[in-house]
PDB file of all heavy atoms in Angstrom:
ATOM      1  N   TYR A 960      -0.129   3.116   4.661  1.00 96.00           N
ATOM      2  CA  TYR A 960       0.588   4.347   4.590  1.00 96.00           C
ATOM      3  C   TYR A 960       1.673   4.247   3.455  1.00 96.00           C
ATOM      4  O   TYR A 960       2.547   3.344   3.506  1.00 96.00           O
ATOM      5  CB  TYR A 960       1.172   4.609   5.907  1.00 96.00           C
ATOM      6  CG  TYR A 960       1.947   5.923   6.126  1.00 96.00           C
ATOM      7  CD1 TYR A 960       1.736   7.038   5.345  1.00 96.00           C
ATOM      8  CD2 TYR A 960       2.907   6.044   7.170  1.00 96.00           C
ATOM      9  CE1 TYR A 960       2.460   8.231   5.541  1.00 96.00           C
ATOM     10  CE2 TYR A 960       3.577   7.251   7.363  1.00 96.00           C
ATOM     11  CZ  TYR A 960       3.382   8.318   6.499  1.00 96.00           C
ATOM     12  OH  TYR A 960       4.088   9.427   6.749  1.00 96.00           O
ATOM     13  N   ILE A 961       1.599   5.115   2.508  1.00 98.00           N
ATOM     14  CA  ILE A 961       2.492   5.101   1.328  1.00 98.00           C
ATOM     15  C   ILE A 961       3.310   6.399   1.283  1.00 98.00           C
ATOM     16  O   ILE A 961       2.748   7.477   1.554  1.00 98.00           O
ATOM     17  CB  ILE A 961       1.688   4.879  -0.032  1.00 98.00           C
ATOM     18  CG1 ILE A 961       0.615   3.759   0.130  1.00 98.00           C
ATOM     19  CG2 ILE A 961       2.622   4.670  -1.215  1.00 98.00           C
ATOM     20  CD1 ILE A 961       1.177   2.376   0.365  1.00 98.00           C
ATOM     21  N   ASP A 962       4.548   6.248   0.821  1.00 97.00           N
ATOM     22  CA  ASP A 962       5.428   7.438   0.923  1.00 97.00           C
ATOM     23  C   ASP A 962       5.248   8.526  -0.147  1.00 97.00           C
ATOM     24  O   ASP A 962       6.261   9.042  -0.693  1.00 97.00           O
ATOM     25  CB  ASP A 962       6.903   7.017   0.993  1.00 97.00           C
ATOM     26  CG  ASP A 962       7.439   6.433  -0.341  1.00 97.00           C
ATOM     27  OD1 ASP A 962       6.577   6.304  -1.266  1.00 97.00           O
ATOM     28  OD2 ASP A 962       8.562   6.068  -0.427  1.00 97.00           O
ATOM     29  N   THR A 963       4.012   8.933  -0.489  1.00 98.00           N
ATOM     30  CA  THR A 963       3.883   9.970  -1.494  1.00 98.00           C
ATOM     31  C   THR A 963       4.099  11.327  -0.713  1.00 98.00           C
ATOM     32  O   THR A 963       3.884  11.404   0.471  1.00 98.00           O
ATOM     33  CB  THR A 963       2.458   9.996  -2.088  1.00 98.00           C
ATOM     34  OG1 THR A 963       1.504  10.244  -1.022  1.00 98.00           O
ATOM     35  CG2 THR A 963       2.107   8.699  -2.733  1.00 98.00           C
ATOM     36  N   GLU A 964       4.517  12.346  -1.466  1.00 97.00           N
ATOM     37  CA  GLU A 964       4.841  13.598  -0.909  1.00 97.00           C
ATOM     38  C   GLU A 964       3.712  14.166  -0.079  1.00 97.00           C
ATOM     39  O   GLU A 964       3.892  14.606   1.056  1.00 97.00           O
ATOM     40  CB  GLU A 964       5.171  14.585  -2.005  1.00 97.00           C
ATOM     41  CG  GLU A 964       6.266  15.557  -1.724  1.00 97.00           C
ATOM     42  CD  GLU A 964       6.593  16.366  -2.961  1.00 97.00           C
ATOM     43  OE1 GLU A 964       6.946  15.806  -3.995  1.00 97.00           O
ATOM     44  OE2 GLU A 964       6.318  17.631  -2.887  1.00 97.00           O
ATOM     45  N   ASN A 965       2.496  14.191  -0.631  1.00 96.00           N
ATOM     46  CA  ASN A 965       1.367  14.711   0.034  1.00 96.00           C
ATOM     47  C   ASN A 965       1.004  14.016   1.298  1.00 96.00           C
ATOM     48  O   ASN A 965       0.628  14.608   2.368  1.00 96.00           O
ATOM     49  CB  ASN A 965       0.123  14.813  -0.910  1.00 96.00           C
ATOM     50  CG  ASN A 965       0.308  15.901  -1.911  1.00 96.00           C
ATOM     51  OD1 ASN A 965       1.081  16.833  -1.739  1.00 96.00           O
ATOM     52  ND2 ASN A 965      -0.444  15.802  -2.957  1.00 96.00           N
ATOM     53  N   ALA A 966       1.036  12.618   1.301  1.00 96.00           N
ATOM     54  CA  ALA A 966       0.671  11.831   2.418  1.00 96.00           C
ATOM     55  C   ALA A 966       1.661  12.063   3.561  1.00 96.00           C
ATOM     56  O   ALA A 966       1.323  12.271   4.754  1.00 96.00           O
ATOM     57  CB  ALA A 966       0.542  10.372   2.100  1.00 96.00           C
ATOM     58  N   VAL A 967       2.983  12.027   3.198  1.00 96.00           N
ATOM     59  CA  VAL A 967       3.997  12.237   4.217  1.00 96.00           C
ATOM     60  C   VAL A 967       3.907  13.588   4.829  1.00 96.00           C
ATOM     61  O   VAL A 967       3.972  13.759   6.068  1.00 96.00           O
ATOM     62  CB  VAL A 967       5.380  12.006   3.632  1.00 96.00           C
ATOM     63  CG1 VAL A 967       6.560  12.353   4.532  1.00 96.00           C
ATOM     64  CG2 VAL A 967       5.543  10.461   3.206  1.00 96.00           C
ATOM     65  N   ARG A 968       3.660  14.629   4.024  1.00 95.00           N
ATOM     66  CA  ARG A 968       3.517  16.007   4.504  1.00 95.00           C
ATOM     67  C   ARG A 968       2.337  16.086   5.515  1.00 95.00           C
ATOM     68  O   ARG A 968       2.409  16.737   6.536  1.00 95.00           O
ATOM     69  CB  ARG A 968       3.353  17.013   3.349  1.00 95.00           C
ATOM     70  CG  ARG A 968       3.427  18.390   3.844  1.00 95.00           C
ATOM     71  CD  ARG A 968       3.250  19.469   2.796  1.00 95.00           C
ATOM     72  NE  ARG A 968       3.832  19.223   1.548  1.00 95.00           N
ATOM     73  CZ  ARG A 968       3.160  19.032   0.380  1.00 95.00           C
ATOM     74  NH1 ARG A 968       1.802  19.068   0.434  1.00 95.00           N
ATOM     75  NH2 ARG A 968       3.765  18.744  -0.732  1.00 95.00           N
ATOM     76  N   ALA A 969       1.278  15.393   5.135  1.00 93.00           N
ATOM     77  CA  ALA A 969       0.028  15.484   5.951  1.00 93.00           C
ATOM     78  C   ALA A 969       0.089  14.768   7.278  1.00 93.00           C
ATOM     79  O   ALA A 969      -0.479  15.282   8.225  1.00 93.00           O
ATOM     80  CB  ALA A 969      -1.177  15.005   5.156  1.00 93.00           C
ATOM     81  N   VAL A 970       0.808  13.570   7.306  1.00 92.00           N
ATOM     82  CA  VAL A 970       0.579  12.744   8.512  1.00 92.00           C
ATOM     83  C   VAL A 970       1.895  12.399   9.248  1.00 92.00           C
ATOM     84  O   VAL A 970       1.835  11.843  10.370  1.00 92.00           O
ATOM     85  CB  VAL A 970      -0.240  11.494   8.239  1.00 92.00           C
ATOM     86  CG1 VAL A 970      -1.616  11.805   7.718  1.00 92.00           C
ATOM     87  CG2 VAL A 970       0.516  10.546   7.308  1.00 92.00           C
ATOM     88  N   SER A 971       3.087  12.683   8.674  1.00 92.00           N
ATOM     89  CA  SER A 971       4.294  12.142   9.277  1.00 92.00           C
ATOM     90  C   SER A 971       4.539  12.709  10.662  1.00 92.00           C
ATOM     91  O   SER A 971       5.171  12.043  11.482  1.00 92.00           O
ATOM     92  CB  SER A 971       5.530  12.426   8.417  1.00 92.00           C
ATOM     93  OG  SER A 971       5.646  13.796   8.229  1.00 92.00           O
ATOM     94  N   HIS A 972       3.999  13.868  10.966  1.00 90.00           N
ATOM     95  CA  HIS A 972       4.253  14.496  12.324  1.00 90.00           C
ATOM     96  C   HIS A 972       3.418  13.672  13.338  1.00 90.00           C
ATOM     97  O   HIS A 972       3.696  13.779  14.524  1.00 90.00           O
ATOM     98  CB  HIS A 972       3.784  15.942  12.337  1.00 90.00           C
ATOM     99  CG  HIS A 972       2.282  16.094  12.084  1.00 90.00           C
ATOM    100  ND1 HIS A 972       1.773  16.005  10.793  1.00 90.00           N
ATOM    101  CD2 HIS A 972       1.296  16.341  12.857  1.00 90.00           C
ATOM    102  CE1 HIS A 972       0.486  16.206  10.880  1.00 90.00           C
ATOM    103  NE2 HIS A 972       0.116  16.374  12.160  1.00 90.00           N
ATOM    104  N   ALA A 973       2.407  12.954  12.914  1.00 89.00           N
ATOM    105  CA  ALA A 973       1.495  12.290  13.832  1.00 89.00           C
ATOM    106  C   ALA A 973       1.585  10.779  13.861  1.00 89.00           C
ATOM    107  O   ALA A 973       1.092  10.132  14.841  1.00 89.00           O
ATOM    108  CB  ALA A 973       0.064  12.681  13.502  1.00 89.00           C
ATOM    109  N   ILE A 974       2.099  10.164  12.812  1.00 87.00           N
ATOM    110  CA  ILE A 974       2.061   8.651  12.719  1.00 87.00           C
ATOM    111  C   ILE A 974       3.474   8.130  12.853  1.00 87.00           C
ATOM    112  O   ILE A 974       4.426   8.665  12.256  1.00 87.00           O
ATOM    113  CB  ILE A 974       1.491   8.243  11.292  1.00 87.00           C
ATOM    114  CG1 ILE A 974      -0.042   8.606  11.349  1.00 87.00           C
ATOM    115  CG2 ILE A 974       1.687   6.803  10.977  1.00 87.00           C
ATOM    116  CD1 ILE A 974      -0.800   8.168  10.117  1.00 87.00           C
ATOM    117  N   ARG A 975       3.580   7.039  13.650  1.00 85.00           N
ATOM    118  CA  ARG A 975       4.918   6.438  13.896  1.00 85.00           C
ATOM    119  C   ARG A 975       5.358   5.560  12.701  1.00 85.00           C
ATOM    120  O   ARG A 975       6.559   5.314  12.549  1.00 85.00           O
ATOM    121  CB  ARG A 975       4.810   5.576  15.123  1.00 85.00           C
ATOM    122  CG  ARG A 975       4.765   6.353  16.399  1.00 85.00           C
ATOM    123  CD  ARG A 975       4.767   5.415  17.611  1.00 85.00           C
ATOM    124  NE  ARG A 975       3.754   5.757  18.645  1.00 85.00           N
ATOM    125  CZ  ARG A 975       3.955   6.623  19.570  1.00 85.00           C
ATOM    126  NH1 ARG A 975       5.054   7.320  19.578  1.00 85.00           N
ATOM    127  NH2 ARG A 975       2.984   6.892  20.419  1.00 85.00           N
ATOM    128  N   ASP A 976       4.433   4.938  11.980  1.00 89.00           N
ATOM    129  CA  ASP A 976       4.812   3.932  10.959  1.00 89.00           C
ATOM    130  C   ASP A 976       5.759   4.460   9.920  1.00 89.00           C
ATOM    131  O   ASP A 976       5.738   5.650   9.611  1.00 89.00           O
ATOM    132  CB  ASP A 976       3.514   3.426  10.244  1.00 89.00           C
ATOM    133  CG  ASP A 976       2.576   2.784  11.126  1.00 89.00           C
ATOM    134  OD1 ASP A 976       2.976   2.533  12.312  1.00 89.00           O
ATOM    135  OD2 ASP A 976       1.461   2.468  10.715  1.00 89.00           O
ATOM    136  N   THR A 977       6.489   3.558   9.282  1.00 94.00           N
ATOM    137  CA  THR A 977       7.314   3.900   8.137  1.00 94.00           C
ATOM    138  C   THR A 977       6.426   3.674   6.890  1.00 94.00           C
ATOM    139  O   THR A 977       5.894   2.562   6.723  1.00 94.00           O
ATOM    140  CB  THR A 977       8.532   2.952   8.057  1.00 94.00           C
ATOM    141  OG1 THR A 977       9.194   3.003   9.323  1.00 94.00           O
ATOM    142  CG2 THR A 977       9.494   3.416   6.993  1.00 94.00           C
TER     143      THR A 977
END
Side-chain angles (χ1 to χ4, degrees):
Y960 183 23
I961 313 298
D962 68 358
T963 65
E964 217 177 295
N965 286 340
V967 170
R968 189 181 321 115
V970 303
S971 61
H972 65 282
I974 291 185
R975 287 184 223 278
D976 296 353
T977 308

